[in-house]
Amino acid sequence: PEQAKGKVVDRRTDIFSFGVVLFEMLSRTKTFEGDSISDTLASVLKLDPPWESLPSGTPQPVVELLHRCLEKDPRQRLQSIGEARIALTAATRGATASMTGATMTAAGMVAGAAAPAKAGPGRMAWFASLVVVAVLAGAAAWLLKPAGVPVPTRRYTIHPKDFQASYGRQPSISPDGKRIAYIAGGELWVRDLDKLEPHLMQASTGAHAVSWSQDGSEVAWVADDKLQRAAAAGGPPTVVAELDTGRVDATAWSPDGRIYITPAQGPMYSVPSQGGDPKVAIPLHEGVETDFHTPFVLPDGSAVLYAVHRKEGADTLEAWRNGERKILLRIEGNRIENPGYDPRGYLVWLRRESNAGVWAAPFDAGRLELTGEPFLVDPAGSYPSVAADRTLLYSVGGGSSMRQLVWVSRQGELMGTVGQPREGTMFPELSPDGSLVLVSEDPSENRDIWIVDVERGTRTRATFSDFSEWSATWLDGGNRIAFEHSTGAVRQTWSRAADGTDEPVKMGDFYLPSFRDGVELAIATVRMEETEDDLVIFRPEEDPIEL
């Protein structure tokens, strides 16, 4: 009703919708209807549901639940969906007591109550597979099933506060399908799916590259250049390894107790989960590839699935078994990653750019071969994570990293756009005269620096190396540019003429520079041997002075 009036909506609006759906499931009639949309909205505002349509044997707690859910005044309506679960549980147990005033915080779970063995007319099968929808952007039941074999599907969505789903910070489901780990507010949280509240993992600020032990009892993550592990139930983390590989995008924990690590640049490493020094597990094809992405270990530990970033783009999924690599899928001109395996025989992955979303295809894990045509699972899905119990977790939205440059006023108002949305646009830097903007982009190749004309929206590529160029800045009044150049763990600053008339020149082993007057003095970050990252001040051609 409040939505029909154009007023503010909140969770109580969803509770009203829940009541509508449940009423129609039980009565097999429309809760509100009219000859037109306007008539239907009017009936929502003015009329009561046709209560006489409910079967005579509907349990009393359910009838009272419906009345509370369908109150037109949200102040009088059921205030928490957790109360609905109490009523439904009471109904399945044959209780006749009316609704209590208890509430359940955080809200939302699957009510998987089974029907009694003897269900008479007053015990309808409506409660056999009822789903209460509530809290996290991200969990969904597995949608795939072998042809001709019916598989019951439970799908529900959770909306955690400050939930983050981005590359390197993907949500992950435990192999047993009982827990999920996700990043929210820059920290790692674990949610048992049979509980209402998540819990915060200790000392997890900056956590990323999350993975699970095979029994789901422990979770691993990377923070502060350290691979750490901790009991999923909570407790202080233990350092598994110090990492000097540069930024890590993902990890995967195998049944044999090894953790695979994929840095943003370079080969794939592995380290014993009990601790040790990372060793190269899968080397690169030099001159052909730059790095690997998002490893996944098959449940039996027989092979590692992963994405390959070739010079032509991150367009390939591979498997590694007994020291040999095998291509599973290649989609040239696109970006594919996040492979996973459903034990019913499906390979699942994330596809970006054209036809983006969560995809799957029939897959023979023994032969490491696709056995059927790929199909789209959810176009709005991203970052899939598959459990051995066949549950699929993925976030909704965020699968594409297309970003639009925009003008925003100091008051936060959108004033206009610059050019077209591009893949992975980051770190915009306006030229001194405001006519051009430097950006770092990742158009399914290596990340490069581009120069965008603010007025016309046209783009000119400024770097062409086989590695990644990140942030950039203007020098010499806009005549030159300086940019960060990354080759695995090595990060440097190079410069060149803005019009591309010369070759890039190395300025030094520092990164993220900020230049005074665009030429003379800079403050930058340097990886010092003793203290790791430090701020330094320097003049070109001189050694940096540590701040």
Side-chain angles (χ1 to χ4, degrees), residues 165-167 333-335 337 350-357 379 382-383 397-406 418-426 440-445 447 459:
S166 60
Y167 190 69
N334 215 296
R335 182 175 182 131
E337 57 200 20
L350 170 63
R351 177 170 173 169
R352 298 182 184 271
E353 300 167 25
S354 63
N355 294 321
S382 61
Y383 306 118
S400 172
S401 55
M402 301 290 282
R403 296 174 179 173
Q404 172 71 63
L405 284 172
V406 298
V418 178
Q420 299 298 315
R422 305 293 299 182
E423 179 73 19
T425 298
M426 300 173 70
S440 176
E441 293 182 356
D442 185 16
S444 73
E445 300 179 5
R447 180 169 287 279
R459 304 163 60 257

mmCIF file of all heavy atoms in Angstrom, residues 165-167 333-335 337 350-357 379 382-383 397-406 418-426 440-445 447 459:
data_model
loop_
_atom_site.group_PDB
_atom_site.id
_atom_site.type_symbol
_atom_site.label_atom_id
_atom_site.label_comp_id
_atom_site.label_asym_id
_atom_site.label_seq_id
_atom_site.Cartn_x
_atom_site.Cartn_y
_atom_site.Cartn_z
ATOM 1 N N ALA A 165 31.563 -7.172 -3.210
ATOM 2 C CA ALA A 165 31.825 -8.250 -4.165
ATOM 3 C C ALA A 165 32.582 -7.641 -5.327
ATOM 4 O O ALA A 165 32.019 -6.934 -6.144
ATOM 5 C CB ALA A 165 30.524 -8.892 -4.640
ATOM 6 N N SER A 166 33.875 -7.883 -5.381
ATOM 7 C CA SER A 166 34.708 -7.372 -6.452
ATOM 8 C C SER A 166 35.833 -8.360 -6.675
ATOM 9 O O SER A 166 36.026 -9.290 -5.893
ATOM 10 C CB SER A 166 35.259 -5.980 -6.099
ATOM 11 O OG SER A 166 36.037 -6.040 -4.922
ATOM 12 N N TYR A 167 36.572 -8.146 -7.747
ATOM 13 C CA TYR A 167 37.642 -9.075 -8.057
ATOM 14 C C TYR A 167 38.645 -9.131 -6.907
ATOM 15 O O TYR A 167 39.117 -8.107 -6.435
ATOM 16 C CB TYR A 167 38.342 -8.652 -9.346
ATOM 17 C CG TYR A 167 39.302 -9.693 -9.847
ATOM 18 C CD1 TYR A 167 38.835 -10.906 -10.349
ATOM 19 C CD2 TYR A 167 40.672 -9.480 -9.797
ATOM 20 C CE1 TYR A 167 39.701 -11.869 -10.799
ATOM 21 C CE2 TYR A 167 41.549 -10.449 -10.242
ATOM 22 C CZ TYR A 167 41.067 -11.635 -10.741
ATOM 23 O OH TYR A 167 41.931 -12.608 -11.170
ATOM 24 N N GLY A 333 38.472 -12.709 -27.227
ATOM 25 C CA GLY A 333 37.833 -11.400 -27.176
ATOM 26 C C GLY A 333 36.944 -11.199 -25.971
ATOM 27 O O GLY A 333 36.282 -10.167 -25.851
ATOM 28 N N ASN A 334 36.913 -12.162 -25.040
ATOM 29 C CA ASN A 334 36.111 -12.031 -23.840
ATOM 30 C C ASN A 334 36.977 -12.335 -22.637
ATOM 31 O O ASN A 334 38.130 -12.724 -22.769
ATOM 32 C CB ASN A 334 34.896 -12.969 -23.891
ATOM 33 C CG ASN A 334 33.678 -12.365 -23.224
ATOM 34 O OD1 ASN A 334 33.691 -12.116 -22.035
ATOM 35 N ND2 ASN A 334 32.632 -12.128 -24.000
ATOM 36 N N ARG A 335 36.405 -12.174 -21.473
ATOM 37 C CA ARG A 335 37.125 -12.483 -20.233
ATOM 38 C C ARG A 335 36.318 -13.510 -19.457
ATOM 39 O O ARG A 335 35.146 -13.282 -19.147
ATOM 40 C CB ARG A 335 37.332 -11.222 -19.396
ATOM 41 C CG ARG A 335 38.122 -11.479 -18.116
ATOM 42 C CD ARG A 335 38.427 -10.194 -17.373
ATOM 43 N NE ARG A 335 39.226 -10.475 -16.185
ATOM 44 C CZ ARG A 335 40.344 -9.827 -15.865
ATOM 45 N NH1 ARG A 335 40.801 -8.871 -16.656
ATOM 46 N NH2 ARG A 335 41.023 -10.133 -14.776
ATOM 47 N N GLU A 337 36.540 -16.378 -16.052
ATOM 48 C CA GLU A 337 37.285 -16.700 -14.827
ATOM 49 C C GLU A 337 36.354 -17.368 -13.832
ATOM 50 O O GLU A 337 35.226 -17.728 -14.157
ATOM 51 C CB GLU A 337 37.893 -15.416 -14.226
ATOM 52 C CG GLU A 337 36.876 -14.345 -13.921
ATOM 53 C CD GLU A 337 37.495 -12.963 -13.800
ATOM 54 O OE1 GLU A 337 38.617 -12.761 -14.308
ATOM 55 O OE2 GLU A 337 36.852 -12.081 -13.213
ATOM 56 N N LEU A 350 32.451 -17.544 -14.573
ATOM 57 C CA LEU A 350 31.980 -16.173 -14.761
ATOM 58 C C LEU A 350 32.467 -15.670 -16.104
ATOM 59 O O LEU A 350 33.637 -15.804 -16.447
ATOM 60 C CB LEU A 350 32.516 -15.264 -13.648
ATOM 61 C CG LEU A 350 32.304 -13.750 -13.835
ATOM 62 C CD1 LEU A 350 30.825 -13.407 -13.872
ATOM 63 C CD2 LEU A 350 33.026 -12.971 -12.740
ATOM 64 N N ARG A 351 31.560 -15.067 -16.865
ATOM 65 C CA ARG A 351 31.913 -14.446 -18.129
ATOM 66 C C ARG A 351 31.616 -12.957 -18.029
ATOM 67 O O ARG A 351 30.541 -12.546 -17.572
ATOM 68 C CB ARG A 351 31.106 -15.073 -19.267
ATOM 69 C CG ARG A 351 31.356 -14.425 -20.630
ATOM 70 C CD ARG A 351 30.732 -15.240 -21.741
ATOM 71 N NE ARG A 351 30.828 -14.557 -23.027
ATOM 72 C CZ ARG A 351 30.552 -15.112 -24.204
ATOM 73 N NH1 ARG A 351 30.177 -16.384 -24.248
ATOM 74 N NH2 ARG A 351 30.648 -14.423 -25.321
ATOM 75 N N ARG A 352 32.574 -12.144 -18.480
ATOM 76 C CA ARG A 352 32.396 -10.698 -18.452
ATOM 77 C C ARG A 352 32.134 -10.178 -19.856
ATOM 78 O O ARG A 352 32.145 -10.927 -20.825
ATOM 79 C CB ARG A 352 33.651 -10.031 -17.884
ATOM 80 C CG ARG A 352 33.975 -10.414 -16.445
ATOM 81 C CD ARG A 352 35.205 -9.657 -16.000
ATOM 82 N NE ARG A 352 35.639 -10.024 -14.676
ATOM 83 C CZ ARG A 352 35.213 -9.447 -13.563
ATOM 84 N NH1 ARG A 352 34.310 -8.487 -13.626
ATOM 85 N NH2 ARG A 352 35.674 -9.814 -12.384
ATOM 86 N N GLU A 353 31.917 -8.881 -19.950
ATOM 87 C CA GLU A 353 31.719 -8.178 -21.216
ATOM 88 C C GLU A 353 30.500 -8.731 -21.951
ATOM 89 O O GLU A 353 29.419 -8.793 -21.390
ATOM 90 C CB GLU A 353 33.009 -8.222 -22.042
ATOM 91 C CG GLU A 353 34.190 -7.570 -21.321
ATOM 92 C CD GLU A 353 35.508 -7.879 -21.962
ATOM 93 O OE1 GLU A 353 35.552 -8.171 -23.166
ATOM 94 O OE2 GLU A 353 36.534 -7.825 -21.262
ATOM 95 N N SER A 354 30.625 -9.180 -23.208
ATOM 96 C CA SER A 354 29.452 -9.631 -23.960
ATOM 97 C C SER A 354 28.889 -10.907 -23.344
ATOM 98 O O SER A 354 29.618 -11.789 -22.914
ATOM 99 C CB SER A 354 29.840 -9.894 -25.426
ATOM 100 O OG SER A 354 30.794 -10.925 -25.523
ATOM 101 N N ASN A 355 27.555 -10.972 -23.285
ATOM 102 C CA ASN A 355 26.866 -12.123 -22.682
ATOM 103 C C ASN A 355 27.383 -12.413 -21.284
ATOM 104 O O ASN A 355 27.631 -13.562 -20.917
ATOM 105 C CB ASN A 355 27.002 -13.366 -23.560
ATOM 106 C CG ASN A 355 26.294 -13.232 -24.879
ATOM 107 O OD1 ASN A 355 25.204 -12.663 -24.949
ATOM 108 N ND2 ASN A 355 26.906 -13.716 -25.943
ATOM 109 N N ALA A 356 27.538 -11.355 -20.491
ATOM 110 C CA ALA A 356 28.099 -11.498 -19.155
ATOM 111 C C ALA A 356 27.147 -12.261 -18.239
ATOM 112 O O ALA A 356 25.941 -12.306 -18.460
ATOM 113 C CB ALA A 356 28.401 -10.119 -18.573
ATOM 114 N N GLY A 357 27.703 -12.860 -17.204
ATOM 115 C CA GLY A 357 26.916 -13.557 -16.209
ATOM 116 C C GLY A 357 27.570 -14.854 -15.780
ATOM 117 O O GLY A 357 28.708 -15.159 -16.148
ATOM 118 N N PRO A 379 22.187 -13.984 -15.895
ATOM 119 C CA PRO A 379 22.899 -12.852 -16.494
ATOM 120 C C PRO A 379 23.284 -11.783 -15.472
ATOM 121 O O PRO A 379 24.172 -10.976 -15.743
ATOM 122 C CB PRO A 379 21.904 -12.307 -17.519
ATOM 123 C CG PRO A 379 20.571 -12.761 -17.026
ATOM 124 C CD PRO A 379 20.803 -14.083 -16.375
ATOM 125 N N SER A 382 27.470 -12.977 -10.646
ATOM 126 C CA SER A 382 28.913 -12.814 -10.760
ATOM 127 C C SER A 382 29.601 -13.560 -9.624
ATOM 128 O O SER A 382 28.982 -13.860 -8.595
ATOM 129 C CB SER A 382 29.308 -11.339 -10.733
ATOM 130 O OG SER A 382 28.917 -10.737 -9.508
ATOM 131 N N TYR A 383 30.882 -13.867 -9.820
ATOM 132 C CA TYR A 383 31.727 -14.508 -8.826
ATOM 133 C C TYR A 383 31.103 -15.789 -8.257
ATOM 134 O O TYR A 383 30.846 -15.897 -7.053
ATOM 135 C CB TYR A 383 32.060 -13.529 -7.696
ATOM 136 C CG TYR A 383 32.650 -12.250 -8.197
ATOM 137 C CD1 TYR A 383 32.021 -11.030 -7.984
ATOM 138 C CD2 TYR A 383 33.836 -12.250 -8.922
ATOM 139 C CE1 TYR A 383 32.560 -9.849 -8.473
ATOM 140 C CE2 TYR A 383 34.380 -11.071 -9.411
ATOM 141 C CZ TYR A 383 33.738 -9.879 -9.178
ATOM 142 O OH TYR A 383 34.278 -8.709 -9.663
ATOM 143 N N GLY A 397 24.876 -8.899 -9.431
ATOM 144 C CA GLY A 397 25.471 -7.646 -9.861
ATOM 145 C C GLY A 397 26.978 -7.681 -9.657
ATOM 146 O O GLY A 397 27.523 -8.555 -8.996
ATOM 147 N N GLY A 398 27.673 -6.751 -10.276
ATOM 148 C CA GLY A 398 29.109 -6.648 -10.095
ATOM 149 C C GLY A 398 29.925 -7.562 -10.980
ATOM 150 O O GLY A 398 31.139 -7.584 -10.900
ATOM 151 N N GLY A 399 29.272 -8.362 -11.845
ATOM 152 C CA GLY A 399 30.033 -9.259 -12.698
ATOM 153 C C GLY A 399 30.834 -8.528 -13.745
ATOM 154 O O GLY A 399 31.908 -8.958 -14.125
ATOM 155 N N SER A 400 30.301 -7.438 -14.223
ATOM 156 C CA SER A 400 31.031 -6.631 -15.192
ATOM 157 C C SER A 400 31.719 -5.491 -14.472
ATOM 158 O O SER A 400 31.174 -4.900 -13.547
ATOM 159 C CB SER A 400 30.084 -6.059 -16.252
ATOM 160 O OG SER A 400 30.767 -5.137 -17.072
ATOM 161 N N SER A 401 32.941 -5.189 -14.888
ATOM 162 C CA SER A 401 33.643 -4.063 -14.288
ATOM 163 C C SER A 401 33.621 -2.849 -15.222
ATOM 164 O O SER A 401 34.524 -2.042 -15.230
ATOM 165 C CB SER A 401 35.080 -4.446 -13.943
ATOM 166 O OG SER A 401 35.751 -4.947 -15.076
ATOM 167 N N MET A 402 32.568 -2.760 -16.058
ATOM 168 C CA MET A 402 32.395 -1.588 -16.911
ATOM 169 C C MET A 402 32.145 -0.365 -16.029
ATOM 170 O O MET A 402 31.298 -0.386 -15.141
ATOM 171 C CB MET A 402 31.227 -1.804 -17.866
ATOM 172 C CG MET A 402 31.365 -3.009 -18.781
ATOM 173 S SD MET A 402 32.633 -2.788 -20.045
ATOM 174 C CE MET A 402 31.743 -1.757 -21.198
ATOM 175 N N ARG A 403 32.900 0.705 -16.292
ATOM 176 C CA ARG A 403 32.772 1.902 -15.473
ATOM 177 C C ARG A 403 32.703 3.137 -16.359
ATOM 178 O O ARG A 403 33.326 3.183 -17.402
ATOM 179 C CB ARG A 403 33.953 2.009 -14.499
ATOM 180 C CG ARG A 403 33.984 0.871 -13.490
ATOM 181 C CD ARG A 403 35.223 0.900 -12.643
ATOM 182 N NE ARG A 403 35.225 -0.190 -11.679
ATOM 183 C CZ ARG A 403 36.256 -0.488 -10.906
ATOM 184 N NH1 ARG A 403 37.364 0.223 -10.978
ATOM 185 N NH2 ARG A 403 36.185 -1.504 -10.058
ATOM 186 N N GLN A 404 31.945 4.103 -15.886
ATOM 187 C CA GLN A 404 31.697 5.320 -16.649
ATOM 188 C C GLN A 404 32.360 6.506 -15.960
ATOM 189 O O GLN A 404 32.146 6.747 -14.775
ATOM 190 C CB GLN A 404 30.186 5.569 -16.757
ATOM 191 C CG GLN A 404 29.801 6.901 -17.366
ATOM 192 C CD GLN A 404 30.096 6.953 -18.854
ATOM 193 O OE1 GLN A 404 29.531 6.193 -19.618
ATOM 194 N NE2 GLN A 404 31.006 7.842 -19.248
ATOM 195 N N LEU A 405 33.180 7.274 -16.716
ATOM 196 C CA LEU A 405 33.711 8.516 -16.195
ATOM 197 C C LEU A 405 32.590 9.555 -16.133
ATOM 198 O O LEU A 405 31.844 9.724 -17.104
ATOM 199 C CB LEU A 405 34.827 9.047 -17.092
ATOM 200 C CG LEU A 405 36.197 8.366 -16.997
ATOM 201 C CD1 LEU A 405 37.106 8.906 -18.098
ATOM 202 C CD2 LEU A 405 36.821 8.587 -15.631
ATOM 203 N N VAL A 406 32.471 10.230 -15.003
ATOM 204 C CA VAL A 406 31.413 11.228 -14.845
ATOM 205 C C VAL A 406 31.975 12.483 -14.190
ATOM 206 O O VAL A 406 33.002 12.451 -13.513
ATOM 207 C CB VAL A 406 30.244 10.696 -13.978
ATOM 208 C CG1 VAL A 406 29.591 9.492 -14.630
ATOM 209 C CG2 VAL A 406 30.716 10.351 -12.565
ATOM 210 N N VAL A 418 31.772 11.481 -19.435
ATOM 211 C CA VAL A 418 32.912 11.643 -20.345
ATOM 212 C C VAL A 418 33.107 10.327 -21.083
ATOM 213 O O VAL A 418 33.420 9.312 -20.471
ATOM 214 C CB VAL A 418 34.196 12.020 -19.587
ATOM 215 C CG1 VAL A 418 35.372 12.123 -20.558
ATOM 216 C CG2 VAL A 418 34.015 13.321 -18.817
ATOM 217 N N GLY A 419 32.898 10.326 -22.396
ATOM 218 C CA GLY A 419 33.094 9.121 -23.179
ATOM 219 C C GLY A 419 32.081 8.039 -22.858
ATOM 220 O O GLY A 419 31.016 8.300 -22.266
ATOM 221 N N GLN A 420 32.429 6.804 -23.228
ATOM 222 C CA GLN A 420 31.554 5.661 -23.025
ATOM 223 C C GLN A 420 32.076 4.777 -21.893
ATOM 224 O O GLN A 420 33.255 4.826 -21.554
ATOM 225 C CB GLN A 420 31.470 4.829 -24.322
ATOM 226 C CG GLN A 420 30.906 5.577 -25.501
ATOM 227 C CD GLN A 420 29.477 6.015 -25.250
ATOM 228 O OE1 GLN A 420 28.657 5.246 -24.769
ATOM 229 N NE2 GLN A 420 29.173 7.268 -25.587
ATOM 230 N N PRO A 421 31.206 3.951 -21.281
ATOM 231 C CA PRO A 421 31.686 3.017 -20.250
ATOM 232 C C PRO A 421 32.751 2.090 -20.825
ATOM 233 O O PRO A 421 32.644 1.636 -21.962
ATOM 234 C CB PRO A 421 30.419 2.247 -19.856
ATOM 235 C CG PRO A 421 29.282 3.113 -20.273
ATOM 236 C CD PRO A 421 29.745 3.837 -21.496
ATOM 237 N N ARG A 422 33.770 1.819 -20.030
ATOM 238 C CA ARG A 422 34.861 0.956 -20.453
ATOM 239 C C ARG A 422 35.160 -0.076 -19.371
ATOM 240 O O ARG A 422 34.800 0.096 -18.205
ATOM 241 C CB ARG A 422 36.122 1.776 -20.734
ATOM 242 C CG ARG A 422 35.952 2.894 -21.738
ATOM 243 C CD ARG A 422 35.683 2.383 -23.131
ATOM 244 N NE ARG A 422 36.777 1.558 -23.625
ATOM 245 C CZ ARG A 422 36.815 1.016 -24.833
ATOM 246 N NH1 ARG A 422 35.804 1.209 -25.670
ATOM 247 N NH2 ARG A 422 37.839 0.294 -25.216
ATOM 248 N N GLU A 423 35.842 -1.138 -19.759
ATOM 249 C CA GLU A 423 36.163 -2.219 -18.841
ATOM 250 C C GLU A 423 37.242 -1.792 -17.848
ATOM 251 O O GLU A 423 38.351 -1.416 -18.225
ATOM 252 C CB GLU A 423 36.651 -3.438 -19.630
ATOM 253 C CG GLU A 423 37.041 -4.631 -18.776
ATOM 254 C CD GLU A 423 35.852 -5.343 -18.168
ATOM 255 O OE1 GLU A 423 34.723 -5.151 -18.674
ATOM 256 O OE2 GLU A 423 36.050 -6.085 -17.204
ATOM 257 N N GLY A 424 36.919 -1.847 -16.564
ATOM 258 C CA GLY A 424 37.899 -1.662 -15.507
ATOM 259 C C GLY A 424 38.524 -0.292 -15.415
ATOM 260 O O GLY A 424 39.661 -0.159 -14.953
ATOM 261 N N THR A 425 37.824 0.766 -15.829
ATOM 262 C CA THR A 425 38.390 2.112 -15.748
ATOM 263 C C THR A 425 38.691 2.483 -14.292
ATOM 264 O O THR A 425 37.841 2.336 -13.416
ATOM 265 C CB THR A 425 37.430 3.141 -16.360
ATOM 266 O OG1 THR A 425 37.244 2.850 -17.740
ATOM 267 C CG2 THR A 425 37.977 4.553 -16.224
ATOM 268 N N MET A 426 39.930 2.975 -14.060
ATOM 269 C CA MET A 426 40.350 3.334 -12.705
ATOM 270 C C MET A 426 41.277 4.542 -12.755
ATOM 271 O O MET A 426 41.852 4.858 -13.788
ATOM 272 C CB MET A 426 41.087 2.164 -12.032
ATOM 273 C CG MET A 426 40.267 0.894 -11.891
ATOM 274 S SD MET A 426 41.249 -0.502 -11.267
ATOM 275 C CE MET A 426 41.524 0.035 -9.589
ATOM 276 N N SER A 440 43.428 4.301 -16.238
ATOM 277 C CA SER A 440 43.945 2.947 -16.406
ATOM 278 C C SER A 440 42.762 2.052 -16.737
ATOM 279 O O SER A 440 41.734 2.088 -16.055
ATOM 280 C CB SER A 440 44.624 2.473 -15.118
ATOM 281 O OG SER A 440 45.046 1.133 -15.229
ATOM 282 N N GLU A 441 42.882 1.244 -17.815
ATOM 283 C CA GLU A 441 41.779 0.397 -18.248
ATOM 284 C C GLU A 441 42.269 -1.018 -18.521
ATOM 285 O O GLU A 441 43.459 -1.236 -18.777
ATOM 286 C CB GLU A 441 41.116 0.966 -19.508
ATOM 287 C CG GLU A 441 40.406 2.286 -19.272
ATOM 288 C CD GLU A 441 39.720 2.810 -20.530
ATOM 289 O OE1 GLU A 441 39.864 2.181 -21.593
ATOM 290 O OE2 GLU A 441 39.057 3.857 -20.442
ATOM 291 N N ASP A 442 41.329 -1.952 -18.495
ATOM 292 C CA ASP A 442 41.649 -3.368 -18.682
ATOM 293 C C ASP A 442 40.689 -3.966 -19.698
ATOM 294 O O ASP A 442 39.837 -4.775 -19.362
ATOM 295 C CB ASP A 442 41.537 -4.109 -17.338
ATOM 296 C CG ASP A 442 41.976 -5.557 -17.436
ATOM 297 O OD1 ASP A 442 42.636 -5.913 -18.431
ATOM 298 O OD2 ASP A 442 41.656 -6.335 -16.521
ATOM 299 N N PRO A 443 40.801 -3.601 -20.981
ATOM 300 C CA PRO A 443 39.845 -4.076 -21.999
ATOM 301 C C PRO A 443 40.189 -5.474 -22.499
ATOM 302 O O PRO A 443 40.496 -5.697 -23.663
ATOM 303 C CB PRO A 443 39.993 -3.032 -23.100
ATOM 304 C CG PRO A 443 41.423 -2.605 -23.005
ATOM 305 C CD PRO A 443 41.794 -2.689 -21.557
ATOM 306 N N SER A 444 40.157 -6.459 -21.586
ATOM 307 C CA SER A 444 40.426 -7.874 -21.866
ATOM 308 C C SER A 444 41.840 -8.096 -22.375
ATOM 309 O O SER A 444 42.157 -9.157 -22.902
ATOM 310 C CB SER A 444 39.415 -8.452 -22.863
ATOM 311 O OG SER A 444 39.644 -7.985 -24.175
ATOM 312 N N GLU A 445 42.709 -7.096 -22.212
ATOM 313 C CA GLU A 445 44.125 -7.275 -22.478
ATOM 314 C C GLU A 445 44.858 -6.930 -21.182
ATOM 315 O O GLU A 445 44.315 -7.041 -20.104
ATOM 316 C CB GLU A 445 44.561 -6.373 -23.635
ATOM 317 C CG GLU A 445 43.833 -6.653 -24.938
ATOM 318 C CD GLU A 445 44.260 -5.722 -26.058
ATOM 319 O OE1 GLU A 445 45.187 -4.917 -25.848
ATOM 320 O OE2 GLU A 445 43.666 -5.815 -27.137
ATOM 321 N N ARG A 447 46.345 -4.372 -18.477
ATOM 322 C CA ARG A 447 45.907 -3.042 -18.053
ATOM 323 C C ARG A 447 46.856 -1.999 -18.625
ATOM 324 O O ARG A 447 48.073 -2.119 -18.488
ATOM 325 C CB ARG A 447 45.854 -2.972 -16.532
ATOM 326 C CG ARG A 447 45.400 -1.627 -15.982
ATOM 327 C CD ARG A 447 45.113 -1.713 -14.521
ATOM 328 N NE ARG A 447 43.868 -2.437 -14.303
ATOM 329 C CZ ARG A 447 42.657 -1.915 -14.404
ATOM 330 N NH1 ARG A 447 42.517 -0.631 -14.742
ATOM 331 N NH2 ARG A 447 41.588 -2.636 -14.174
ATOM 332 N N ARG A 459 39.482 8.424 -27.327
ATOM 333 C CA ARG A 459 40.481 7.799 -26.475
ATOM 334 C C ARG A 459 41.737 7.497 -27.293
ATOM 335 O O ARG A 459 41.651 7.057 -28.435
ATOM 336 C CB ARG A 459 39.942 6.508 -25.874
ATOM 337 C CG ARG A 459 38.657 6.687 -25.108
ATOM 338 C CD ARG A 459 37.920 5.384 -24.870
ATOM 339 N NE ARG A 459 38.702 4.425 -24.101
ATOM 340 C CZ ARG A 459 39.311 3.378 -24.633
ATOM 341 N NH1 ARG A 459 39.225 3.168 -25.944
ATOM 342 N NH2 ARG A 459 39.982 2.539 -23.888
#
